């Protein structure tokens, strides 16, 4: 009889111990960690992994495509996606990211409105075990960013400048040629890379006098365009045309860092340029609005960036990161993509650390190779009335969690 009592008592004691015993928390933490880990691993890509995708705005054509491609990639992998656009407002982006963290995001894919304005929010994300991928634009001044996916941004500027060198015949020309510069949004870290890529190629011609900048504006900030705004680019060039190119004075080229600024400069040339020649205009993004301009020769080139490939790399990287690994070069080897992607651990220092980066290859597109690069590849197509549309992104549902 005694023996039975003893067994019951000892059982009860151990049960009590289990419920609130001293060493339990560690065990709990482990379990918790294990649970979180397990939960994450458990329902990795079974539709319960939550990915927050935060895009800068919808006015600039490309981000609509990025949002659609990313949403499609992650949903096809069984993730729950929260896709938000920020109307180029920093506060709206911060609120949106905070909501994603509250809704249990496991990973954030962020294309920043202002690369230096998110460090507080990203640190909160990291404190909650949320992984962060900087998408296309580097996230600055924080340790709370795991990886960066973008294109070779320096090369974008190099391609634009090289096009100007060849189309103006600068290598052989005796006569000076006239150029103006329209660079990007100074809060966008990419803008500096585009500028350096272009200036490193053109500055020798400016220094030698083969290229003349009548306005004298060659610095990054004095040539920059807040929010990549077409209107701001238009107004600045209108002032320059009226101040430095009166009475038929010749302008040979305007280096525009992207397509939205090129749209504004085209408008300024139409209204305020008094010269007789066709001014060489560069761009970037291969926006549909600008493809029409290249086809009617009112824009000379753009730099095409295959956004669908950028989304593919981001999703594969995310999968690897969420499975607890720390991918490097191996990710590219294993993925074996039919497009070029390089792993870079030197060029993208965000002010706190060099962020490991996956960089895709930008391609110069002109009237001559436009069909091959954009239509033969199936990136764009024309409908029965000849209107151009994006095959892969202008159809899927674009349900966005915008409030
Ligand atoms: C940059 C991006 C470019 C261009 C620009 C304006 O960050 O890399 O492709 O789109 O923003 O949106």
């Amino acid at each position: 009889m005694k023996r039975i009592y003893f067994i019951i008592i000892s059982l009860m004691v151990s049960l009590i111990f289990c419920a609130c015993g001293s060493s339990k928390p560690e065990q709990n933490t482990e379990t918790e960690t294990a649970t979180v880990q397990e939960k994450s691993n458990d329902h990795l890509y079974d539709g319960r992994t939550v990915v927050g995708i935060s895009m800068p705005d919808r006015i600039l054509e490309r981000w609509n495509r990025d949002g659609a491609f990313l949403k499609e990639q992650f949903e096809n992998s069984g993730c729950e996606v929260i896709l938000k656009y920020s109307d180029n407002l920093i506060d709206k982006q911060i609120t949106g990211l905070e909501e994603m963290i509250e809704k249990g995001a496991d990973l954030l894919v962020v294309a920043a409105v202002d690369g230096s304005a998110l460090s507080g929010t990203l640190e909160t994300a990291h404190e909650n075990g949320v992984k962060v991928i900087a998408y296309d634009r580097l996230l600055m001044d924080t340790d709370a960013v795991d990886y960066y996916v973008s294109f070779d941004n320096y090369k974008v500027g190099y391609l634009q400048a090289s096009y100007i060198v060849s189309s103006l015949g600068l290598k052989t020309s005796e006569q000076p040629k006239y150029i103006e510069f329209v660079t990007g949004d100074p809060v966008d870290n990419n803008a500096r890379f585009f500028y350096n890529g272009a200036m490193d190629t053109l500055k020798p011609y400016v220094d030698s006098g083969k290229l003349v900048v009548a306005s004298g504006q060659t610095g990054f900030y004095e040539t920059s365009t807040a929010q990549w705004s077409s209107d701001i680019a238009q107004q600045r060039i209108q002032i320059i045309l009226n101040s430095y190119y009166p009475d038929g004075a010749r302008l040979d080229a305007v280096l525009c860092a992207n397509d939205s600024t090129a749209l504004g400069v085209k408008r300024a040339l139409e209204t305020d340029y008094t010269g007789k020649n066709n001014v060489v205009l560069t761009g970037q993004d291969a926006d549909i609005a600008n493809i029409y301009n290249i086809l009617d020769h009112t824009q000379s080139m753009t730099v095409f960036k295959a956004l669908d490939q950028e989304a593919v790399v981001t999703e594969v990287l995310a999968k690897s990161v969420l499975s607890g690994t720390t991918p490097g070069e191996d990710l590219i080897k294993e993925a074996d993509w039919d497009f070029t992607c390089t792993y870079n651990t030197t060029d993208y220092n965000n002010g706190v650390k060099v962020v490991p980066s996956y960089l895709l290859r930008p391609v110069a597109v002109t009237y001559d190779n436009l069909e091959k690069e954009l239509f033969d590849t199936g990136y764009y197509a024309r409908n029965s009335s000849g209107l151009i549309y994006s095959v892969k992104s202008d159809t899927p549902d674009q349900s966005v969690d915008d409030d």
Side-chain angles (χ1 to χ4, degrees), residues 113-144:
V113 171
D114 176 338
S116 307
L118 301 176
S119 35
T121 312
L122 299 175
E123 268 124 44
T124 308
H126 261 208
E127 280 151 21
N128 286 277
V130 182
K131 298 292 182 184
V132 176
I133 294 179
Y135 182 83
D136 199 84
R137 297 173 173 178
L138 190 58
L139 295 165
M140 307 300 288
D141 312 324
T142 178
D143 183 49

PDB file of all heavy atoms in Angstrom, residues 113-144:
ATOM      1  N   VAL A 113      12.011  53.970 -50.265  1.00  0.00           N
ATOM      2  CA  VAL A 113      11.757  55.327 -50.747  1.00  0.00           C
ATOM      3  C   VAL A 113      13.008  56.163 -50.471  1.00  0.00           C
ATOM      4  O   VAL A 113      13.517  56.871 -51.315  1.00  0.00           O
ATOM      5  CB  VAL A 113      10.545  55.933 -50.013  1.00  0.00           C
ATOM      6  CG1 VAL A 113      10.401  57.418 -50.345  1.00  0.00           C
ATOM      7  CG2 VAL A 113       9.266  55.175 -50.336  1.00  0.00           C
ATOM      8  N   ASP A 114      13.510  56.057 -49.235  1.00  0.00           N
ATOM      9  CA  ASP A 114      14.736  56.737 -48.803  1.00  0.00           C
ATOM     10  C   ASP A 114      15.590  55.711 -48.064  1.00  0.00           C
ATOM     11  O   ASP A 114      15.230  55.280 -46.971  1.00  0.00           O
ATOM     12  CB  ASP A 114      14.395  57.909 -47.872  1.00  0.00           C
ATOM     13  CG  ASP A 114      15.634  58.609 -47.314  1.00  0.00           C
ATOM     14  OD1 ASP A 114      16.717  57.982 -47.287  1.00  0.00           O
ATOM     15  OD2 ASP A 114      15.522  59.767 -46.889  1.00  0.00           O
ATOM     16  N   GLY A 115      16.696  55.330 -48.664  1.00  0.00           N
ATOM     17  CA  GLY A 115      17.500  54.221 -48.148  1.00  0.00           C
ATOM     18  C   GLY A 115      17.977  54.383 -46.728  1.00  0.00           C
ATOM     19  O   GLY A 115      18.256  53.400 -46.037  1.00  0.00           O
ATOM     20  N   SER A 116      18.062  55.642 -46.244  1.00  0.00           N
ATOM     21  CA  SER A 116      18.607  55.883 -44.891  1.00  0.00           C
ATOM     22  C   SER A 116      17.537  56.078 -43.839  1.00  0.00           C
ATOM     23  O   SER A 116      17.851  56.364 -42.687  1.00  0.00           O
ATOM     24  CB  SER A 116      19.485  57.131 -44.926  1.00  0.00           C
ATOM     25  OG  SER A 116      20.435  57.012 -45.939  1.00  0.00           O
ATOM     26  N   ALA A 117      16.267  55.931 -44.198  1.00  0.00           N
ATOM     27  CA  ALA A 117      15.182  56.303 -43.275  1.00  0.00           C
ATOM     28  C   ALA A 117      14.547  55.112 -42.564  1.00  0.00           C
ATOM     29  O   ALA A 117      13.615  55.291 -41.790  1.00  0.00           O
ATOM     30  CB  ALA A 117      14.107  57.061 -44.051  1.00  0.00           C
ATOM     31  N   LEU A 118      15.056  53.905 -42.802  1.00  0.00           N
ATOM     32  CA  LEU A 118      14.342  52.717 -42.305  1.00  0.00           C
ATOM     33  C   LEU A 118      15.095  51.955 -41.218  1.00  0.00           C
ATOM     34  O   LEU A 118      14.609  50.928 -40.735  1.00  0.00           O
ATOM     35  CB  LEU A 118      14.038  51.771 -43.480  1.00  0.00           C
ATOM     36  CG  LEU A 118      13.185  52.344 -44.614  1.00  0.00           C
ATOM     37  CD1 LEU A 118      13.054  51.329 -45.741  1.00  0.00           C
ATOM     38  CD2 LEU A 118      11.815  52.765 -44.101  1.00  0.00           C
ATOM     39  N   SER A 119      16.255  52.450 -40.789  1.00  0.00           N
ATOM     40  CA  SER A 119      17.094  51.626 -39.898  1.00  0.00           C
ATOM     41  C   SER A 119      16.355  51.237 -38.613  1.00  0.00           C
ATOM     42  O   SER A 119      16.404  50.070 -38.209  1.00  0.00           O
ATOM     43  CB  SER A 119      18.408  52.325 -39.577  1.00  0.00           C
ATOM     44  OG  SER A 119      18.216  53.695 -39.494  1.00  0.00           O
ATOM     45  N   GLY A 120      15.596  52.141 -38.030  1.00  0.00           N
ATOM     46  CA  GLY A 120      14.879  51.813 -36.785  1.00  0.00           C
ATOM     47  C   GLY A 120      13.910  50.660 -36.992  1.00  0.00           C
ATOM     48  O   GLY A 120      13.910  49.675 -36.242  1.00  0.00           O
ATOM     49  N   THR A 121      13.125  50.754 -38.046  1.00  0.00           N
ATOM     50  CA  THR A 121      12.112  49.728 -38.328  1.00  0.00           C
ATOM     51  C   THR A 121      12.773  48.398 -38.656  1.00  0.00           C
ATOM     52  O   THR A 121      12.323  47.333 -38.224  1.00  0.00           O
ATOM     53  CB  THR A 121      11.249  50.187 -39.533  1.00  0.00           C
ATOM     54  OG1 THR A 121      10.853  51.534 -39.304  1.00  0.00           O
ATOM     55  CG2 THR A 121      10.068  49.302 -39.738  1.00  0.00           C
ATOM     56  N   LEU A 122      13.855  48.453 -39.393  1.00  0.00           N
ATOM     57  CA  LEU A 122      14.541  47.209 -39.765  1.00  0.00           C
ATOM     58  C   LEU A 122      15.172  46.560 -38.537  1.00  0.00           C
ATOM     59  O   LEU A 122      15.181  45.329 -38.416  1.00  0.00           O
ATOM     60  CB  LEU A 122      15.586  47.501 -40.844  1.00  0.00           C
ATOM     61  CG  LEU A 122      15.034  48.079 -42.160  1.00  0.00           C
ATOM     62  CD1 LEU A 122      16.164  48.452 -43.102  1.00  0.00           C
ATOM     63  CD2 LEU A 122      14.061  47.112 -42.809  1.00  0.00           C
ATOM     64  N   GLU A 123      15.641  47.382 -37.594  1.00  0.00           N
ATOM     65  CA  GLU A 123      16.198  46.789 -36.369  1.00  0.00           C
ATOM     66  C   GLU A 123      15.098  46.081 -35.580  1.00  0.00           C
ATOM     67  O   GLU A 123      15.308  44.989 -35.052  1.00  0.00           O
ATOM     68  CB  GLU A 123      16.918  47.852 -35.537  1.00  0.00           C
ATOM     69  CG  GLU A 123      18.431  47.947 -35.888  1.00  0.00           C
ATOM     70  CD  GLU A 123      18.893  49.327 -36.298  1.00  0.00           C
ATOM     71  OE1 GLU A 123      18.491  50.277 -35.622  1.00  0.00           O
ATOM     72  OE2 GLU A 123      19.617  49.471 -37.315  1.00  0.00           O
ATOM     73  N   THR A 124      13.914  46.676 -35.577  1.00  0.00           N
ATOM     74  CA  THR A 124      12.786  45.995 -34.922  1.00  0.00           C
ATOM     75  C   THR A 124      12.521  44.656 -35.605  1.00  0.00           C
ATOM     76  O   THR A 124      12.302  43.637 -34.947  1.00  0.00           O
ATOM     77  CB  THR A 124      11.512  46.878 -35.029  1.00  0.00           C
ATOM     78  OG1 THR A 124      11.834  48.169 -34.546  1.00  0.00           O
ATOM     79  CG2 THR A 124      10.356  46.275 -34.285  1.00  0.00           C
ATOM     80  N   ALA A 125      12.576  44.666 -36.914  1.00  0.00           N
ATOM     81  CA  ALA A 125      12.345  43.413 -37.666  1.00  0.00           C
ATOM     82  C   ALA A 125      13.362  42.362 -37.232  1.00  0.00           C
ATOM     83  O   ALA A 125      13.001  41.246 -36.855  1.00  0.00           O
ATOM     84  CB  ALA A 125      12.461  43.683 -39.159  1.00  0.00           C
ATOM     85  N   HIS A 126      14.624  42.738 -37.220  1.00  0.00           N
ATOM     86  CA  HIS A 126      15.667  41.769 -36.849  1.00  0.00           C
ATOM     87  C   HIS A 126      15.495  41.285 -35.417  1.00  0.00           C
ATOM     88  O   HIS A 126      15.680  40.110 -35.130  1.00  0.00           O
ATOM     89  CB  HIS A 126      17.059  42.393 -37.063  1.00  0.00           C
ATOM     90  CG  HIS A 126      17.694  41.959 -38.357  1.00  0.00           C
ATOM     91  ND1 HIS A 126      19.049  41.881 -38.543  1.00  0.00           N
ATOM     92  CD2 HIS A 126      17.129  41.561 -39.520  1.00  0.00           C
ATOM     93  CE1 HIS A 126      19.314  41.438 -39.766  1.00  0.00           C
ATOM     94  NE2 HIS A 126      18.168  41.235 -40.382  1.00  0.00           N
ATOM     95  N   GLU A 127      15.110  42.205 -34.522  1.00  0.00           N
ATOM     96  CA  GLU A 127      14.901  41.796 -33.122  1.00  0.00           C
ATOM     97  C   GLU A 127      13.791  40.742 -33.044  1.00  0.00           C
ATOM     98  O   GLU A 127      13.751  39.910 -32.144  1.00  0.00           O
ATOM     99  CB  GLU A 127      14.524  43.000 -32.260  1.00  0.00           C
ATOM    100  CG  GLU A 127      15.724  43.863 -31.831  1.00  0.00           C
ATOM    101  CD  GLU A 127      15.325  45.327 -31.640  1.00  0.00           C
ATOM    102  OE1 GLU A 127      14.110  45.587 -31.448  1.00  0.00           O
ATOM    103  OE2 GLU A 127      16.207  46.215 -31.771  1.00  0.00           O
ATOM    104  N   ASN A 128      12.882  40.771 -34.015  1.00  0.00           N
ATOM    105  CA  ASN A 128      11.791  39.789 -34.043  1.00  0.00           C
ATOM    106  C   ASN A 128      12.123  38.604 -34.928  1.00  0.00           C
ATOM    107  O   ASN A 128      11.227  37.852 -35.341  1.00  0.00           O
ATOM    108  CB  ASN A 128      10.505  40.462 -34.554  1.00  0.00           C
ATOM    109  CG  ASN A 128       9.901  41.379 -33.514  1.00  0.00           C
ATOM    110  OD1 ASN A 128       9.188  40.931 -32.637  1.00  0.00           O
ATOM    111  ND2 ASN A 128      10.232  42.659 -33.596  1.00  0.00           N
ATOM    112  N   GLY A 129      13.407  38.468 -35.282  1.00  0.00           N
ATOM    113  CA  GLY A 129      13.819  37.300 -36.056  1.00  0.00           C
ATOM    114  C   GLY A 129      13.384  37.353 -37.508  1.00  0.00           C
ATOM    115  O   GLY A 129      13.371  36.340 -38.203  1.00  0.00           O
ATOM    116  N   VAL A 130      13.017  38.542 -37.984  1.00  0.00           N
ATOM    117  CA  VAL A 130      12.559  38.688 -39.365  1.00  0.00           C
ATOM    118  C   VAL A 130      13.767  38.989 -40.251  1.00  0.00           C
ATOM    119  O   VAL A 130      14.552  39.881 -39.945  1.00  0.00           O
ATOM    120  CB  VAL A 130      11.537  39.839 -39.483  1.00  0.00           C
ATOM    121  CG1 VAL A 130      11.031  39.952 -40.918  1.00  0.00           C
ATOM    122  CG2 VAL A 130      10.386  39.630 -38.520  1.00  0.00           C
ATOM    123  N   LYS A 131      13.914  38.253 -41.324  1.00  0.00           N
ATOM    124  CA  LYS A 131      15.016  38.467 -42.259  1.00  0.00           C
ATOM    125  C   LYS A 131      14.682  39.632 -43.198  1.00  0.00           C
ATOM    126  O   LYS A 131      13.515  39.874 -43.498  1.00  0.00           O
ATOM    127  CB  LYS A 131      15.262  37.199 -43.076  1.00  0.00           C
ATOM    128  CG  LYS A 131      15.658  36.006 -42.241  1.00  0.00           C
ATOM    129  CD  LYS A 131      17.027  36.202 -41.635  1.00  0.00           C
ATOM    130  CE  LYS A 131      17.492  34.996 -40.829  1.00  0.00           C
ATOM    131  NZ  LYS A 131      18.792  35.265 -40.163  1.00  0.00           N
ATOM    132  N   VAL A 132      15.734  40.314 -43.674  1.00  0.00           N
ATOM    133  CA  VAL A 132      15.521  41.497 -44.511  1.00  0.00           C
ATOM    134  C   VAL A 132      16.376  41.418 -45.774  1.00  0.00           C
ATOM    135  O   VAL A 132      17.593  41.249 -45.696  1.00  0.00           O
ATOM    136  CB  VAL A 132      15.873  42.786 -43.733  1.00  0.00           C
ATOM    137  CG1 VAL A 132      15.756  44.005 -44.644  1.00  0.00           C
ATOM    138  CG2 VAL A 132      14.976  42.942 -42.502  1.00  0.00           C
ATOM    139  N   ILE A 133      15.722  41.535 -46.924  1.00  0.00           N
ATOM    140  CA  ILE A 133      16.436  41.616 -48.198  1.00  0.00           C
ATOM    141  C   ILE A 133      16.218  43.008 -48.785  1.00  0.00           C
ATOM    142  O   ILE A 133      15.070  43.441 -48.945  1.00  0.00           O
ATOM    143  CB  ILE A 133      15.951  40.540 -49.193  1.00  0.00           C
ATOM    144  CG1 ILE A 133      16.303  39.141 -48.708  1.00  0.00           C
ATOM    145  CG2 ILE A 133      16.569  40.785 -50.583  1.00  0.00           C
ATOM    146  CD1 ILE A 133      15.816  38.023 -49.636  1.00  0.00           C
ATOM    147  N   ALA A 134      17.302  43.719 -49.053  1.00  0.00           N
ATOM    148  CA  ALA A 134      17.205  45.017 -49.734  1.00  0.00           C
ATOM    149  C   ALA A 134      16.989  44.729 -51.207  1.00  0.00           C
ATOM    150  O   ALA A 134      17.782  44.014 -51.824  1.00  0.00           O
ATOM    151  CB  ALA A 134      18.488  45.815 -49.539  1.00  0.00           C
ATOM    152  N   TYR A 135      15.889  45.260 -51.758  1.00  0.00           N
ATOM    153  CA  TYR A 135      15.528  44.949 -53.146  1.00  0.00           C
ATOM    154  C   TYR A 135      15.839  46.133 -54.047  1.00  0.00           C
ATOM    155  O   TYR A 135      15.309  47.232 -53.828  1.00  0.00           O
ATOM    156  CB  TYR A 135      14.043  44.605 -53.232  1.00  0.00           C
ATOM    157  CG  TYR A 135      13.593  44.222 -54.619  1.00  0.00           C
ATOM    158  CD1 TYR A 135      13.766  42.932 -55.111  1.00  0.00           C
ATOM    159  CD2 TYR A 135      13.027  45.177 -55.459  1.00  0.00           C
ATOM    160  CE1 TYR A 135      13.384  42.595 -56.403  1.00  0.00           C
ATOM    161  CE2 TYR A 135      12.643  44.852 -56.754  1.00  0.00           C
ATOM    162  CZ  TYR A 135      12.828  43.561 -57.218  1.00  0.00           C
ATOM    163  OH  TYR A 135      12.455  43.238 -58.500  1.00  0.00           O
ATOM    164  N   ASP A 136      16.696  45.947 -54.969  1.00  0.00           N
ATOM    165  CA  ASP A 136      17.080  46.907 -55.993  1.00  0.00           C
ATOM    166  C   ASP A 136      17.830  48.129 -55.426  1.00  0.00           C
ATOM    167  O   ASP A 136      18.825  48.546 -56.013  1.00  0.00           O
ATOM    168  CB  ASP A 136      15.901  47.404 -56.818  1.00  0.00           C
ATOM    169  CG  ASP A 136      16.401  48.008 -58.136  1.00  0.00           C
ATOM    170  OD1 ASP A 136      16.617  47.239 -59.075  1.00  0.00           O
ATOM    171  OD2 ASP A 136      16.624  49.216 -58.182  1.00  0.00           O
ATOM    172  N   ARG A 137      17.339  48.727 -54.322  1.00  0.00           N
ATOM    173  CA  ARG A 137      18.005  49.876 -53.727  1.00  0.00           C
ATOM    174  C   ARG A 137      18.580  49.451 -52.373  1.00  0.00           C
ATOM    175  O   ARG A 137      17.865  48.868 -51.568  1.00  0.00           O
ATOM    176  CB  ARG A 137      17.008  51.022 -53.507  1.00  0.00           C
ATOM    177  CG  ARG A 137      16.397  51.579 -54.783  1.00  0.00           C
ATOM    178  CD  ARG A 137      15.308  52.586 -54.492  1.00  0.00           C
ATOM    179  NE  ARG A 137      14.835  53.229 -55.698  1.00  0.00           N
ATOM    180  CZ  ARG A 137      13.847  54.131 -55.726  1.00  0.00           C
ATOM    181  NH1 ARG A 137      13.237  54.451 -54.597  1.00  0.00           N
ATOM    182  NH2 ARG A 137      13.450  54.672 -56.868  1.00  0.00           N
ATOM    183  N   LEU A 138      19.840  49.776 -52.094  1.00  0.00           N
ATOM    184  CA  LEU A 138      20.476  49.342 -50.851  1.00  0.00           C
ATOM    185  C   LEU A 138      19.856  50.044 -49.640  1.00  0.00           C
ATOM    186  O   LEU A 138      19.495  51.220 -49.710  1.00  0.00           O
ATOM    187  CB  LEU A 138      21.980  49.622 -50.897  1.00  0.00           C
ATOM    188  CG  LEU A 138      22.814  49.004 -49.772  1.00  0.00           C
ATOM    189  CD1 LEU A 138      22.654  47.488 -49.725  1.00  0.00           C
ATOM    190  CD2 LEU A 138      24.287  49.398 -49.921  1.00  0.00           C
ATOM    191  N   LEU A 139      19.691  49.287 -48.538  1.00  0.00           N
ATOM    192  CA  LEU A 139      19.206  49.845 -47.269  1.00  0.00           C
ATOM    193  C   LEU A 139      20.435  50.313 -46.496  1.00  0.00           C
ATOM    194  O   LEU A 139      21.369  49.548 -46.271  1.00  0.00           O
ATOM    195  CB  LEU A 139      18.417  48.790 -46.501  1.00  0.00           C
ATOM    196  CG  LEU A 139      17.119  48.343 -47.205  1.00  0.00           C
ATOM    197  CD1 LEU A 139      16.571  47.051 -46.597  1.00  0.00           C
ATOM    198  CD2 LEU A 139      16.074  49.454 -47.137  1.00  0.00           C
ATOM    199  N   MET A 140      20.444  51.607 -46.127  1.00  0.00           N
ATOM    200  CA  MET A 140      21.643  52.240 -45.610  1.00  0.00           C
ATOM    201  C   MET A 140      21.668  52.371 -44.088  1.00  0.00           C
ATOM    202  O   MET A 140      20.623  52.313 -43.439  1.00  0.00           O
ATOM    203  CB  MET A 140      21.767  53.658 -46.215  1.00  0.00           C
ATOM    204  CG  MET A 140      21.696  53.710 -47.724  1.00  0.00           C
ATOM    205  SD  MET A 140      22.979  52.751 -48.544  1.00  0.00           S
ATOM    206  CE  MET A 140      24.398  53.774 -48.217  1.00  0.00           C
ATOM    207  N   ASP A 141      22.918  52.538 -43.575  1.00  0.00           N
ATOM    208  CA  ASP A 141      23.111  52.908 -42.157  1.00  0.00           C
ATOM    209  C   ASP A 141      22.462  51.946 -41.173  1.00  0.00           C
ATOM    210  O   ASP A 141      21.923  52.364 -40.138  1.00  0.00           O
ATOM    211  CB  ASP A 141      22.566  54.332 -41.895  1.00  0.00           C
ATOM    212  CG  ASP A 141      23.044  55.317 -42.930  1.00  0.00           C
ATOM    213  OD1 ASP A 141      24.208  55.171 -43.365  1.00  0.00           O
ATOM    214  OD2 ASP A 141      22.257  56.173 -43.363  1.00  0.00           O
ATOM    215  N   THR A 142      22.471  50.670 -41.459  1.00  0.00           N
ATOM    216  CA  THR A 142      21.919  49.677 -40.531  1.00  0.00           C
ATOM    217  C   THR A 142      22.619  48.333 -40.702  1.00  0.00           C
ATOM    218  O   THR A 142      23.046  47.989 -41.803  1.00  0.00           O
ATOM    219  CB  THR A 142      20.396  49.477 -40.740  1.00  0.00           C
ATOM    220  OG1 THR A 142      19.939  48.467 -39.846  1.00  0.00           O
ATOM    221  CG2 THR A 142      20.086  49.064 -42.167  1.00  0.00           C
ATOM    222  N   ASP A 143      22.647  47.584 -39.610  1.00  0.00           N
ATOM    223  CA  ASP A 143      23.180  46.223 -39.665  1.00  0.00           C
ATOM    224  C   ASP A 143      22.053  45.246 -39.962  1.00  0.00           C
ATOM    225  O   ASP A 143      22.277  44.085 -40.302  1.00  0.00           O
ATOM    226  CB  ASP A 143      23.819  45.900 -38.300  1.00  0.00           C
ATOM    227  CG  ASP A 143      24.452  44.519 -38.308  1.00  0.00           C
ATOM    228  OD1 ASP A 143      25.207  44.244 -39.264  1.00  0.00           O
ATOM    229  OD2 ASP A 143      24.122  43.701 -37.419  1.00  0.00           O
ATOM    230  N   ALA A 144      20.797  45.768 -39.877  1.00  0.00           N
ATOM    231  CA  ALA A 144      19.600  44.912 -39.984  1.00  0.00           C
ATOM    232  C   ALA A 144      19.195  44.673 -41.433  1.00  0.00           C
ATOM    233  O   ALA A 144      18.024  44.873 -41.825  1.00  0.00           O
ATOM    234  CB  ALA A 144      18.456  45.550 -39.203  1.00  0.00           C
TER     235      ALA A 144
END
